[in-house]
Amino acid sequence: KKSPVKGIVTNPSGQRMACIVDAKGEGIYKCSYSPMDDGPHTVDVTFDGLPVPGSPYNVNVKSGCDASRVRVHGPGLDSVRTGQLVEFLVDLNGAGQGNLAVAIEGPADAHIQSRDNGD
């Protein structure tokens, strides 16, 4: 069944892309998009082909990331014993796009394993 809600994002050069629309139930729809360019974008939202109140929305897209929104937690950041495999989590939700680097400093080399949970 086609969604009655649609979203179209227009970038500064006029290119348009459709939002991903997911029905959440009880008349709620989640719309998502990933802008690739900096600058002013417009987001046109329609319901059954008609613009919703306030649409189009003007969005100013900025590049980079916000490191202040990164959260790190877990037992690997507390007291740790040598030779013990420990873990900690780095939560990048809401931090934007960027590269994550992890370094462990100490008197000996430490092997670092990382896994992207895909979320």
Side-chain angles (χ1 to χ4, degrees):
K1 182 179 173 184
K2 284 186 136 182
S3 171
V5 173
K6 293 198 181 342
I8 300 291
V9 178
T10 305
N11 71 12
S13 63
Q15 292 178 314
R16 297 164 49 95
M17 72 174 185
C19 293
I20 299 168
V21 179
D22 292 318
K24 299 312 238 177
E26 299 184 21
I28 305 292
Y29 292 82
K30 175 183 168 186
C31 301
S32 56
Y33 65 98
S34 296
M36 304 307 280
D37 302 303
D38 296 351
H41 288 59
T42 57
V43 180
D44 291 277
V45 181
T46 60
F47 175 67
D48 275 342
L50 299 173
V52 302
S55 182
Y57 299 91
N58 296 312
V59 178
N60 188 30
V61 176
K62 298 178 184 177
S63 65
C65 59
D66 183 355
S68 71
R69 299 193 71 178
V70 175
R71 301 289 177 248
V72 181
H73 55 90
L77 302 173
D78 296 325
S79 180
V80 177
R81 296 186 186 275
T82 58
Q84 177 184 8
L85 178 64
V86 295
E87 295 182 342
F88 62 90
L89 300 175
V90 180
D91 183 351
L92 303 176
N93 284 313
Q97 295 183 348
N99 295 317
L100 174 65
V102 176
I104 299 177
E105 296 181 16
D109 290 337
H111 180 68
I112 300 173
Q113 292 178 303
S114 65
R115 179 181 70 240
D116 183 349
N117 292 332
D119 58 358

